[in-house]
């Protein structure tokens, strides 16, 4: 039995004319212990997919089975409990509470479990030891480097000993050194049996993954098993085409931004005029000017 199984999962945002099909009949299964990397241009549905798998959101259509259980039939409270016990989230923008020190930030998810403060602090302290930040326990987030902050966020994600870790562009905000430190931490977690789902734009990071899926327009368009240590072939191709992808990314981002603006819902990307045509026109303009 797969740990995660999506059957023709679709997600639609909005109403009436201004709807977005963020996920388009996705089929996906993830086995326990996999390290799955999810790639694709901005706006293709990666975060939406992670939110559904992480029980932060529900499919509009289709079925999501988590450990064989149909999660779409669960009531909200039950779903929240399952999320708390099974899933750890790591985001691009750490989401630590600025007024709480490192220890309290890490211990926060335990507060909802009715554990005594002393036991909470002990457990948080143990996790911080594990990731090498015990000496930063009483620091506020603003006094940490980017890499340290993300490690604290990972510690917080681990506090409930989740079986699934969902990381949405976890190194998107880090320099290459800090990225490496954070990725090594994920690699350790993977080796110790955690299932990891990670969204990334960085082909380099597919080295850590055991499988890569490529998304476009709400669909999984390609997938590839990879060996740990090697960059996935598909990711490498994207990397080589990088300039083109970046351009598409920008366009997708713009259309995503305009999506909720009344009367500006874009159904298709604005097309740039073909170069040859404008060249012809300017040549004609030149000739005209010479006359
Ligand atoms: N809460 C929302 N309401 C309306 N549209 C949304 C919402 N969340 C995402 N979308 C739209 O769904 C599409 C997929 O978004 P997202 O999953 O964030 O893509 P990605 O993470 O790949 O950049 C985009 O077109 C985005 O604008
Ligand atoms: Mg996203």
């Amino acid at each position: 039995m797969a740990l995660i199984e999506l059957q023709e999962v679709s997600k639609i945002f909005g109403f009436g004319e201004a709807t977005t099909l963020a996920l388009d009949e996705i089929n996906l299964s993830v086995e326990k212990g996999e390290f799955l990397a999810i790639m694709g241009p901005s706006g293709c549905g990666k975060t939406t997919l992670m939110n559904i798998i992480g029980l932060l959101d529900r499919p509009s259509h289709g079925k999501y089975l988590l450990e064989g259980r149909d999660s779409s039939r669960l009531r909200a409270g039950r779903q929240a409990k399952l999320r708390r016990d099974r899933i750890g989230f790591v985001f691009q923008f750490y989401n630590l509470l600025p007024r709480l020190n490192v220890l309290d930030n890490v211990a926060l998810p335990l507060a909802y479990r009715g554990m005594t403060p002393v036991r909470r602090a002990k457990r948080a302290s143990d996790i911080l030891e594990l990731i090498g930040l015990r000496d930063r326990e009483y620091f506020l987030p603003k006094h940490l480097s980017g890499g340290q902050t993300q490690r604290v966020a990972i510690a917080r994600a681990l506090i409930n000993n989740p079986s699934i870790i969902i990381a949405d562009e976890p190194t998107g905000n880090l320099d290459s050194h800090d990225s490496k430190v954070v990725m090594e931490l994920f690699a350790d977690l993977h080796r110790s049996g955690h299932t990891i789902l990670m969204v990334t734009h960085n082909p380099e990071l597919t080295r850590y993954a055991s499988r890569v899926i490529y998304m476009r327009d709400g669909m999984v368009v390609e997938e590839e098993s990879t060996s740990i240590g090697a960059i996935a072939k598909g990711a490498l191709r994207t990397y080589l085409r990088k300039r083109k992808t970046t351009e598409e990314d920008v366009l997708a981002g713009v259309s995503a931004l305009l999506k909720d603006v009344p009367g500006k819902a874009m159904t298709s990307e604005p097309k740039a005029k073909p170069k040859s045509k404008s060249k012809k026109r300017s040549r004609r303009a030149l000739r005209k000017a010479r006359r």
Side-chain angles (χ1 to χ4, degrees):
M1 179 185 69
L3 177 61
I4 290 166
E5 185 163 353
L6 305 188
Q7 298 171 356
E8 299 187 352
V9 164
S10 297
K11 181 69 187 181
I12 301 164
F13 289 112
F15 301 96
E17 301 276 283
T19 54
T20 305
L21 183 58
L23 296 179
D24 189 0
E25 299 190 351
I26 297 250
N27 290 303
L28 177 70
S29 52
V30 181
E31 300 294 330
K32 188 176 175 329
E34 278 196 83
F35 190 145
L36 185 72
I38 298 103
M39 299 192 82
S42 299
C44 71
K46 305 179 297 294
T47 294
T48 305
L49 181 66
M50 292 304 103
N51 287 347
I52 286 177
I53 292 175
L55 300 172
L56 284 170
D57 207 347
R58 289 171 188 265
S60 309
H61 301 285
K63 234 184 195 184
Y64 170 26
L65 306 174
L66 176 60
E67 294 170 333
R69 252 180 307 187
D70 185 356
S71 71
S72 48
R73 287 169 189 274
L74 295 174
R75 272 183 286 141
R78 183 83 194 97
Q79 180 164 328
K81 191 166 179 302
L82 202 59
R83 179 170 69 232
R84 186 194 67 193
D85 294 342
R86 291 285 194 279
I87 295 157
F89 291 95
V90 181
F91 303 98
Q92 178 176 0
F93 302 103
Y94 331 116
N95 296 350
L96 298 183
L97 295 180
R99 282 167 203 272
L100 295 187
N101 68 27
V102 163
L103 189 73
D104 290 338
N105 261 293
V106 172
L108 196 63
L110 296 177
Y112 305 105
R113 290 196 140 183
M115 203 184 264
T116 65
V118 177
R119 282 192 59 207
R120 264 186 263 165
K122 169 81 174 68
R123 174 136 178 81
S125 202
D126 288 347
I127 300 262
L128 284 166
E129 173 85 51
L130 195 76
I131 64 162
L133 282 175
R134 182 84 189 268
D135 57 343
R136 296 290 189 276
E137 272 181 8
Y138 299 107
F139 281 48
L140 288 174
K142 68 178 174 198
H143 295 132
L144 301 175
S145 73
Q148 288 170 339
T149 311
Q150 194 59 303
R151 280 152 68 202
V152 171
I154 293 172
R156 182 188 53 190
L158 292 176
I159 194 92
N160 279 325
N161 194 27
S163 45
I164 302 168
I165 294 165
I166 292 182
D168 197 347
E169 302 189 41
T171 63
N173 220 9
L174 301 179
D175 64 27
S176 58
H177 171 265
D178 281 346
S179 295
K180 189 152 195 310
V181 173
V182 163
M183 288 312 300
E184 290 300 330
L185 194 53
F186 281 121
D188 283 345
L189 293 170
H190 182 220
R191 276 191 289 271
S192 69
H194 284 90
T195 307
I196 302 176
L197 281 70
M198 177 184 72
V199 172
T200 182
H201 282 292
N202 187 348
E204 187 64 38
L205 302 190
T206 58
R207 287 181 193 279
Y208 294 90
S210 55
R211 182 156 62 114
V212 185
I213 63 171
Y214 302 91
M215 292 181 67
R216 184 169 288 266
D217 299 332
M219 293 180 279
V220 175
V221 289
E222 196 185 331
E223 68 168 272
E224 181 186 355
S225 293
T226 60
S227 45
I228 304 285
I231 299 183
K233 289 193 192 76
L236 210 53
R237 267 204 306 281
T238 318
Y239 193 57
L240 297 175
R241 279 198 319 245
K242 199 157 190 194
R243 280 184 57 204
K244 192 177 159 220
T245 310
T246 308
E247 221 170 75
E248 281 170 7
D249 269 10
V250 171
L251 279 177
V254 169
S255 71
L257 274 175
L258 290 178
K259 209 137 253 165
D260 292 331
V261 180
K264 283 264 169 72
M266 289 185 3
T267 45
S268 60
E269 318 284 26
K271 287 206 180 67
K273 284 189 186 110
K275 263 204 183 118
S276 55
K277 212 173 185 179
S278 60
K279 237 187 221 162
K280 250 185 227 161
R281 195 174 298 146
S282 59
R283 241 180 262 142
R284 204 180 300 147
L286 258 178
R287 250 183 273 133
K288 218 176 181 180
R290 280 200 204 112
R291 263 183 229 142

